[in-house]
């Protein structure tokens, strides 16, 4: 309840719950699943406000876009840093071509969303 409306940062959540960082992070993952099932206001994270409950469409959209940008970066790194190099060494490798095609598709989809 302390996370509403002002929000709490990780150190504050750790103190309030008397849990470790890892336990709080896993708790947040589990809580998001419960929140979704029960239709409660969502929990988002921003650097400015920390973790907080919100049903504000603008805050939710900003949070979603930030998450999509993180995912897009996470997809691009293995493409450019590993798979592209492997594909250049062996362009006829069917498995590598399949991986490149799949990751390119994910990157394209996330790029359209972003």
């Amino acid at each position: 309840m302390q996370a509403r409306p002002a929000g709490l940062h990780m150190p504050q959540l750790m103190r309030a719950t008397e849990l470790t960082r890892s336990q709080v992070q896993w708790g947040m993952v589990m809580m998001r699943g419960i929140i979704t099932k029960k239709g409660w206001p969502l929990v988002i994270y921003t650097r400015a406000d920390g973790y907080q409950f919100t049903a504000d469409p603008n805050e939710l959209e900003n949070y979603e876009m930030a998450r999509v940008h993180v995912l897009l970066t996470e997809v691009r790194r293995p493409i450019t840093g590993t798979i592209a190099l492997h594909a250049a060494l062996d362009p006829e490798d069917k498995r590598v071509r399949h991986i490149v095609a799949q990751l390119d598709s994910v990157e394209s989809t996330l790029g359209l969303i972003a």
Side-chain angles (χ1 to χ4, degrees), residues 87 89-97:
L89 292 173
D90 191 1
E92 300 304 315
D93 186 328
K94 185 177 179 179
R95 185 182 70 79
V96 172
R97 286 195 328 246

Side-chain angles (χ1 to χ4, degrees), residues 43-80:
V43 174
I44 64 168
Y45 174 81
T46 63
R47 287 184 186 190
D49 299 318
Y51 292 94
Q52 60 184 353
F53 291 101
T54 188
D56 181 304
N58 293 328
E59 290 178 354
L60 292 172
E61 186 174 337
N62 290 337
Y63 177 73
E64 290 162 0
M65 294 310 297
R67 292 295 304 146
V68 167
H69 283 284
V70 167
L71 292 172
L72 189 53
T73 300
E74 288 177 359
V75 168
R76 283 184 176 149
R77 284 186 179 148
I79 291 172
T80 59

Side-chain angles (χ1 to χ4, degrees), residues 2-4 6-10 12-13 16 45 49-52:
Q2 293 175 16
R4 185 173 186 166
L8 292 175
H9 293 279
M10 183 59 73
Q12 295 166 310
L13 279 170
Y45 174 81
D49 299 318
Y51 292 94
Q52 60 184 353

Side-chain angles (χ1 to χ4, degrees), residues 33-50:
I34 293 168
I35 285 170
T36 301
K37 288 178 185 173
K38 297 199 181 248
W40 294 344
L42 300 178
V43 174
I44 64 168
Y45 174 81
T46 63
R47 287 184 186 190
D49 299 318

